[in-house]
Amino acid sequence: MNPEKLCELAKEAMEHAYVPYSGYKVGAALLCGDGSVYQGCNIENAAYSPTNCAERTAFFKAVYDGHRAFEAIAVCGGKNGVITGAFPPCGVCRQVMREFCGDDFKVYLVNAQGFEALTLAELLPHSFSAQEHMG
Ligand code: THU
């Protein structure tokens, strides 16, 4: 699957967002090692902190289904679903990515013009991981 298609699937996922508090719709499309794709959206909560980000929704769906190998994720977001610029993953989502992904995991950030391609190493340098730091 090419990055453009993955970004389209992230935009589609954004429409599933449950965002009665912030109004910021976020979508993610996660490409697994076997070529399958899992979509996720953010799901907010009246108590705020239980809110789940789009990226983690996608990862948790995929991991539940048995996936452990991942190639790339596309992410988009914006107020009322209008994309005006990149909507980068929060620190918690970056750490969840690190649990399953290496330095070269691709993160495509959708912006108003197209997308920007980054790696997990660029987004989370000097990271903590089980593989490297827990024997
Ligand atoms: N959000 C995500 O879905 N992913 C991120 O990585 C950053 C933040 C959501 C959480 C909340 O529903 C809204 O964006 C505003 O913070």
Side-chain angles (χ1 to χ4, degrees):
M1 165 151 325
N2 63 35
E4 288 80 6
K5 175 67 180 167
L6 203 62
C7 290
E8 283 309 312
L9 292 173
K11 288 182 193 173
E12 183 186 287
M14 185 168 63
E15 296 311 317
H16 294 245
Y18 173 75
V19 290
Y21 307 105
S22 79
Y24 281 90
K25 292 184 177 183
V26 186
L30 175 63
L31 178 62
C32 304
D34 68 355
S36 58
V37 175
Y38 282 79
Q39 291 167 289
C41 65
N42 53 335
I43 303 167
E44 297 187 343
N45 188 279
Y48 293 7
S49 63
T51 292
N52 205 58
C53 291
E55 299 90 323
R56 277 178 286 147
T57 301
F59 264 93
F60 296 159
K61 283 171 65 182
V63 170
Y64 177 85
D65 277 352
H67 294 280
R68 297 291 186 273
F70 304 100
E71 302 283 328
I73 192 168
V75 182
C76 63
K79 186 82 176 173
N80 301 318
V82 179
I83 298 168
T84 55
F87 211 84
C90 76
V92 173
C93 288
R94 295 178 196 202
Q95 186 65 29
V96 168
M97 291 174 193
R98 191 67 189 87
E99 185 68 23
F100 300 100
C101 307
D103 284 348
D104 58 353
F105 178 69
K106 307 281 186 301
V107 181
Y108 303 122
L109 300 180
V110 179
N111 57 36
Q113 294 77 35
F115 68 90
E116 179 184 355
L118 296 164
T119 64
L120 183 55
E122 290 172 318
L123 286 168
L124 195 66
H126 307 288
S127 63
F128 178 81
S129 71
Q131 303 94 308
E132 287 179 65
H133 305 110
M134 294 181 74

